[in-house]
């Protein structure tokens, strides 16, 4: 983590430009070290037990979290961690947003399910910081910052997930500045729990007479318990006087200790955030935070999988190396000597490290999101907009892949709960589904962030990567460590990134289905290019460190040499997939879209009156 921050991305220089002169590498390391101690001592021990126990829905509509969760959350709140990146005027510590993102990697790797509770609160905090009135901030934001209250986002409804234009939850003006909210929201993470005194729901709803579709959605603040005029709870809160009710919780494949709730709003009192009918734009503040956090989830599962798999591979003995005995005094060699096992481990390691670099790079850019200058915020959002869908989708897909590889090196033991590897894979599976599925992220990238933007941000990023690749490729470090070929490949692929997008756009002029058929392949192509760009920078930093100090400590030398080895593995064994994805991106959609409805088996066997999705289908 320190290598990426200090030697690859120059976070100390970045923080100094922002006016944080005290955020030296040692001080940042001290902060992260404190988070790591909390994660190791308080949160990681709850990972398996929380999964086994899960959340419990009670007869009074409350939800109990697993043993130890509430106590860990209270200690987290007392430590002031929820307010690390919040302005001091609202009770925070005024640190940059990026430190909060880095903090989330440590906690999320230790226990992703537990980390979701404070993580969702951060999304609510950032939304209120940018869009809420001062009165709302003083009443609700300050309590979220202390951790006394927690936050959620309530978007999804039974009949509407990705397509938020179908939101049917209603909001009626009470005439006193408040609104009555009525509707049902589903899949609400942290919607009900016993860890905080109150829960602040950020809710999408529709005002009477609002325009149809997404242009008619407004954003509301709806607390579980209504505070008094002083902004405090009375102490008399109970199941009988809740403002919002949890109707039930979901029985899930993974993240079992994170409560996933069905929330009922029945004339629930709430307050408009910002302007009417501007809810979707405001909610994207929450969504961008959430998607960056979910991208981090992919890295967290990769990192935990690697930490679980490596000791096993170093200790487990099976068969002999093909090139001869490596542990001649043992009955068999350690499985770390076998090429396939090494390939699996290196795949996890390479994806984890470039994923971390991608997110940290984005997090430093995101430090401008809370800037008071609107122009700075807009520039920041434009830059992040191109990267967010790629990071969210690519890294979470890789999180599942690497969780599977971590299980694989265990053999059959990986399938057994006792070893903890199968839980990682179960927990990882949701990451490609919530906060926008991989397919939705791909459409967002290609449709909104490239086509509607006319490729401006893509062109800027590609130009930056080509320039940096040229600078690295012509340096003495590149010559000393054989990086010139890698630099050339990054430059070449960055150019093809732009030309491929242009070919897709040209094809879409005559067949709109091309965008949908190309989008996921194009996003994955983008991910591999971004990973290569980060690996080139990391290899350059590692090589420069070795050149600058030939007599460095052997442990440090081993660390930097391992970076170079892992980077070479990425270029040699993983990056070639980019070329296949590039070629698939520009294929015509005929083999996908020309299959007639009658060719799908169920279409010919389901009676038309059984809720058959094909009834009434129109081909053109």
């Amino acid at each position: 983590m320190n290598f990426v921050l200090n030697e690859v991305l120059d976070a100390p220089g970045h923080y100094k430009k922002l006016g944080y002169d005290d955020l030296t590498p040692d001080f940042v390391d001290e902060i992260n070290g404190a988070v790591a101690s909390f994660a190791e001592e308080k949160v990681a021990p709850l990972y398996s037990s929380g999964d086994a126990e899960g959340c419990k829905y009670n007869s009074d509509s409350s939800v109990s979290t697993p043993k130890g969760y509430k106590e860990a959350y209270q200690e987290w709140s007392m430590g002031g961690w929820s307010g690390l990146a919040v302005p001091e005027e609202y009770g925070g510590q005024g640190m940059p947003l990026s430190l909060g993102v880095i903090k989330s990697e440590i906690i999320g790797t230790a226990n992703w399910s537990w980390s979701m509770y404070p993580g969702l609160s951060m999304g609510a905090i950032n939304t209120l910081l940018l869009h809420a009135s001062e009165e709302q901030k003083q009443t609700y934001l300050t309590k979220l910052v202390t951790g006394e209250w927690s936050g959620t986002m309530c978007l999804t409804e039974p009949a509407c997930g990705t397509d938020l234009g179908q939101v049917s939850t209603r909001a009626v003006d009470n005439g006193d500045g408040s609104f009555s909210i009525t509707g049902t929201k589903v899949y609400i993470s942290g919607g009900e729990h016993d860890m905080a005194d109150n829960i602040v729901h950020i809710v999408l709803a529709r005002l009477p007479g609002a325009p149809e579709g997404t242009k008619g959605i407004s954003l509301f603040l709806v607390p579980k318990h209504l505070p008094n005029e002083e902004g405090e709870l009375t102490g008399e809160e109970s199941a009988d006087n809740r403002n919002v009710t949890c109707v039930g919780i979901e029985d899930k494949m993974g993240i079992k200790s994170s409560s996933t709730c069905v929330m009922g709003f029945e004339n629930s009192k709430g307050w408009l955030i910002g302007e009417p009918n501007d809810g979707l734009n405001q909610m994207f503040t929450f969504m961008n935070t959430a998607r960056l956090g979910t991208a981090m989830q992919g890295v967290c599962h990769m990192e935990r999988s690697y930490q679980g798999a490596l000791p096993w591979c170093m200790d487990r003995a099976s068969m002999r190396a093909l090139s001869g005995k490596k542990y001649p005094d043992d009955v068999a060699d350690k499985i770390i000597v076998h090429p396939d096992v090494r390939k699996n481990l290196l795949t996890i390691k390479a994806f984890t490290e470039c994923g971390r670099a991608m997110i940290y790079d984005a997090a430093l850019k995101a430090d401008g999101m809370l800037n008071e200058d609107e122009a700075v915020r807009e520039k920041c959002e434009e830059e992040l907009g191109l990267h967010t869908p790629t990071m969210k989708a690519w890294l979470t897909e890789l999180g599942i892949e690497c969780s599977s590889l971590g299980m694989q090196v265990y053999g059959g033991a990986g399938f057994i709960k006792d070893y903890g590897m199968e839980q990682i894979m179960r927990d990882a599976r949701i990451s490609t589904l919530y906060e926008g599925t991989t397919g939705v992220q791909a459409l967002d990238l290609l449709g909104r962030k490239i086509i509607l933007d006319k490729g401006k941000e893509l062109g800027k990023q590609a130009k930056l990567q080509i320039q940096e690749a040229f600078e690295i490729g012509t340096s003495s470090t590149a010559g000393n460590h054989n990086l010139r070929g890698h630099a050339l490949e990054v430059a070449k692929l960055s150019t093809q990134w732009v030309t491929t997008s242009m070919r897709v756009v040209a094809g879409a002029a005559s067949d709109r289905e091309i965008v949908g058929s190309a989008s996921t392949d194009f996003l994955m192509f983008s991910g591999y290019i971004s990973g290569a760009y980060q690996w080139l920078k990391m290899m350059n930093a590692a090589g420069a460190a070795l050149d600058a100090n030939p007599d460095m400590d052997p442990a440090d030398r081993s660390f930097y040499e391992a970076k170079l080895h892992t980077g070479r593995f990425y270029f040699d064994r993983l990056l070639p997939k980019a070329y296949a994805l590039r070629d698939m991106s520009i294929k015509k959609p005929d083999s996908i879209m020309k299959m007639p409805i009658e060719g799908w088996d169920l279409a010919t066997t389901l009676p038309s009156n059984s809720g058959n999705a094909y009834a009434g289908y129109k081909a053109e």
Side-chain angles (χ1 to χ4, degrees), residues 47 58 109 115 208 213 232 244 315 375 402 422 461 496:
Y47 183 61
N58 303 310
T109 303
S115 77
E232 303 291 339
V244 182
D315 184 65
C402 291
E422 56 84 35
Q461 182 62 31
Q496 293 178 8

Side-chain angles (χ1 to χ4, degrees), residues 319-333 337:
M319 302 187 295
R320 291 295 186 186
L322 296 175
S323 56
K325 294 180 181 180
K326 305 301 180 186
Y327 294 82
D329 296 334
D330 296 343
V331 66
D333 288 334
V337 307

Side-chain angles (χ1 to χ4, degrees), residues 450-589:
I450 294 178
I451 295 177
L452 292 183
D453 184 57
K454 298 181 179 178
K456 288 184 291 186
E457 284 300 323
L458 175 65
K460 289 179 188 176
Q461 182 62 31
K463 182 178 180 181
L464 172 68
Q465 292 179 185
I466 292 168
Q467 288 175 337
E468 196 155 354
F470 177 78
E471 291 170 5
I472 291 173
T474 55
S475 68
S476 59
T477 300
N480 294 340
H481 299 281
N482 297 318
L483 303 184
R484 285 174 181 159
H486 300 322
L488 179 61
E489 189 167 20
V490 168
K492 180 178 70 174
L493 280 169
S494 297
T495 302
Q496 293 178 8
W497 196 17
V498 175
T499 57
T500 302
S501 71
M502 293 170 65
R503 292 184 67 177
V504 172
V505 172
S510 58
D511 187 347
R512 293 182 181 180
E513 300 288 7
I514 285 178
V515 175
S517 65
S519 57
T520 298
D521 293 326
F522 182 82
L523 181 144
M524 302 301 281
F525 174 53
S526 304
Y528 278 97
I529 294 172
S530 299
Y533 170 58
Q534 296 296 342
W535 262 117
L536 179 64
K537 293 194 294 182
M538 288 190 285
M539 295 172 78
N540 181 61
L546 289 168
D547 292 345
N549 188 2
D551 301 320
M552 69 171 57
D553 180 84
D556 290 337
R557 175 170 291 279
S558 176
F559 173 85
Y560 291 119
E561 288 177 345
K563 293 292 180 207
L564 291 167
H565 276 290
T566 310
R568 292 187 191 107
F569 174 83
Y570 183 91
F571 279 94
D572 187 38
R573 292 282 179 164
L574 301 178
L575 187 58
K577 296 178 183 179
Y579 298 98
L581 290 162
R582 176 202 62 194
D583 293 344
M584 289 190 290
S585 297
I586 55 177
K587 292 285 186 182
K588 291 184 177 181

Side-chain angles (χ1 to χ4, degrees), residues 246-262:
C246 176
V247 180
I249 60 175
E250 305 292 352
D251 185 10
K252 310 187 297 292
M253 173 183 179
I255 58 167
K256 292 175 176 289
S257 52
S258 171
S259 60
T260 304
C261 306
V262 179

Side-chain angles (χ1 to χ4, degrees), residues 272-476:
L272 181 68
I273 298 174
E275 296 298 320
N277 304 326
D278 193 36
L280 195 64
N281 290 332
Q282 297 161 357
M283 181 56 79
F284 267 108
T285 301
F286 205 139
M287 292 299 292
N288 284 334
T289 303
R291 286 172 178 174
L292 193 58
T294 309
M296 183 63 87
Q297 181 179 359
V299 173
C300 290
H301 293 315
M302 288 188 258
E303 176 65 36
R304 189 174 183 102
S305 182
Y306 186 75
Q307 290 189 25
L310 182 61
W312 176 269
C313 295
M314 294 293 193
D315 184 65
R316 181 74 168 178
S318 181
M319 302 187 295
R320 291 295 186 186
L322 296 175
S323 56
K325 294 180 181 180
K326 305 301 180 186
Y327 294 82
D329 296 334
D330 296 343
V331 66
D333 288 334
K334 308 300 184 186
I335 63 173
I336 189 67
V337 307
H338 300 310
D340 193 61
V341 171
R342 283 187 165 228
K343 185 170 69 173
N344 289 344
L345 280 176
L346 276 166
T347 298
I348 304 172
K349 181 176 172 61
F351 281 143
T352 303
E353 295 192 14
C354 73
R356 175 180 296 120
M358 285 171 68
I359 294 179
Y360 286 14
D361 198 357
L364 294 177
K365 291 183 174 69
D367 282 333
M369 281 185 65
L370 301 181
N371 195 290
E372 294 180 358
D373 188 335
E374 186 175 352
V376 174
R377 292 201 306 270
E378 288 181 357
K379 183 176 184 295
C380 171
E381 289 183 11
E382 286 173 0
E383 290 181 352
L384 280 177
L386 179 69
H387 301 291
T388 301
T390 301
M391 288 189 298
K392 193 279 178 185
W394 191 61
L395 294 177
T396 54
E397 291 287 350
L398 295 181
I400 295 171
E401 178 182 337
C402 291
S403 298
S404 178
L405 293 175
M407 283 181 62
Q408 192 71 23
V409 301
Y410 271 75
F415 198 65
I416 307 302
K417 285 182 177 290
D418 292 354
Y419 294 94
M421 300 303 289
E422 56 84 35
Q423 184 186 343
I424 304 172
M425 191 170 184
R426 285 190 290 107
D427 287 348
R429 190 61 190 88
I430 184 61
S431 62
T432 63
L433 304 175
Y434 60 12
E435 312 305 342
T437 64
T438 297
V440 169
Q441 299 296 333
L443 284 171
D444 181 40
L445 172 66
L446 192 52
R448 293 181 62 212
K449 306 301 171 53
I450 294 178
I451 295 177
L452 292 183
D453 184 57
K454 298 181 179 178
K456 288 184 291 186
E457 284 300 323
L458 175 65
K460 289 179 188 176
Q461 182 62 31
K463 182 178 180 181
L464 172 68
Q465 292 179 185
I466 292 168
Q467 288 175 337
E468 196 155 354
F470 177 78
E471 291 170 5
I472 291 173
T474 55
S475 68
S476 59

